[in-house]
Amino acid sequence: MTLLKKSFYIIAYYMVVATFSCLAFSSLINSYERTAILPDGLSANSLRVTIQSAEEEIEKRTAGNLIEELESKSNRPFLLFKEVDMAYGKYFYLHQHDLPVSTVDWDQVPKEQPVAVLDKAMIHNVTEKNGKKYFRYNSRDYEVMDLFTPKEVMTELERSFFISLDPTINITGVYDIDGLSLNTVRQALISLQKDIPSLHFEVNPLHPSMKERIDYVIEDQMVIVVMLLVTMIFIGMSTIGTTTAWIDSRRDEIYARYLVGARFKDIQWWLLKDYLFVLIGSFAAGAVIAFLLIAVNAFDKVVNAFDERGLMVAFVFCLFIGILTLVTATWLSQLKKGIIRKESS
């Protein structure tokens, strides 16, 4: 009880630090994990292809030509998306592959049939004819096969509709391909380029790099990042003073131990064990508070999940700072204030 009474201030201090650290690190880690989720149900091995050409000759080439080359280079199933526009929709083509946002059995749907899959929020854009639902885009009717609820994706805007690819449309544009290797896609594009030297293409993994993921996190969690940096500065400035004050509050106990022959290292180790007890207990209490705050959705706009890795990062962070400042504070107290006497030679 004596330890708890003399440690009340530092316990309260570390409970606040632990609570905020858990919330902040959990938010950042969850945000970083979300950057690995690719748009429209694409897998981590998906590729983004950009095809351009400044020559009129390219008008003779179509998306169907690209599909033919891809199918000739590999017999593997694949999914191909082509941008309709960068904000709302995509064309899709399936080669023995499912559409990730839909549960329809696409083997039973004729490839030549114009079909669409819509975001449930777009149900008001649907019209009915002869008992079937249709979505009209660019003066063409697409039969609505399914509705879906978009998943939240950090890396791109969520698409509201997917319509079957018309193979006669121009080949230039942005494609996403899932199911084929980088080498296979490059071979197909090189074959097309032999016929049209003016065709230029670029193929890149759709999965963002670590740097890109970190950039997304900083952009998405700017408030949390700034607050965490401010907190780290606050901890750095405050912990030494708080720890020194805690040592000062135990002056009598320190002198009593010296009187019975304790050395400086003994005193330091004794303080360190007590400090760890206080720190771990305070941190555990702070973690519980953070968990309860997340459970009741107190900060659901910023933090919506408790991540154990966030807890561990926060614990290691606080433990490192705490031990470092304790050792520093004891030496400062030893040298400047004379609270801990030097060992006699």
Side-chain angles (χ1 to χ4, degrees), residues 48 74 237 242 278-279 333:
R48 173 149 293 176
S74 173
M237 295 174 61
T242 303
V278 170
L279 179 64
S333 299

Side-chain angles (χ1 to χ4, degrees), residues 74-190:
S74 173
N75 59 1
R76 293 177 59 85
F78 69 87
L79 159 67
L80 179 143
F81 284 134
K82 186 178 191 294
E83 294 285 358
V84 173
D85 57 65
M86 295 301 289
Y88 298 106
K90 287 182 176 181
Y91 294 110
F92 71 90
Y93 176 83
L94 304 174
H95 177 68
Q96 303 173 6
H97 200 288
D98 293 327
L99 186 65
V101 299
S102 171
T103 57
V104 172
D105 183 0
W106 293 97
D107 291 334
Q108 306 301 317
V109 180
K111 286 189 176 183
E112 64 276 6
Q113 181 180 351
V115 295
V117 177
L118 304 182
D119 180 350
K120 291 179 179 179
M122 291 191 64
I123 191 67
H124 61 280
N125 294 96
V126 172
T127 58
E128 289 198 23
K129 298 178 183 179
N130 301 320
K132 294 183 178 181
K133 296 181 173 63
Y134 290 92
F135 170 67
R136 192 167 185 80
Y137 183 80
N138 275 354
S139 302
R140 187 176 187 182
D141 287 330
Y142 294 83
E143 184 180 350
V144 178
M145 305 300 293
D146 201 3
L147 300 174
F148 70 96
T149 300
K151 292 183 179 180
E152 184 177 350
V153 180
M154 291 181 59
T155 54
E156 291 189 10
L157 293 173
E158 300 169 8
R159 296 308 194 276
S160 298
F161 66 87
F162 299 90
I163 54 179
S164 53
L165 176 68
D166 179 358
T168 64
I169 63 174
N170 187 260
I171 194 174
T172 57
V174 179
Y175 298 82
D176 294 333
I177 301 175
D178 190 1
L180 298 179
S181 69
L182 178 62
N183 185 54
T184 297
V185 174
R186 282 189 179 278
Q187 286 180 1
L189 291 166
I190 290 171

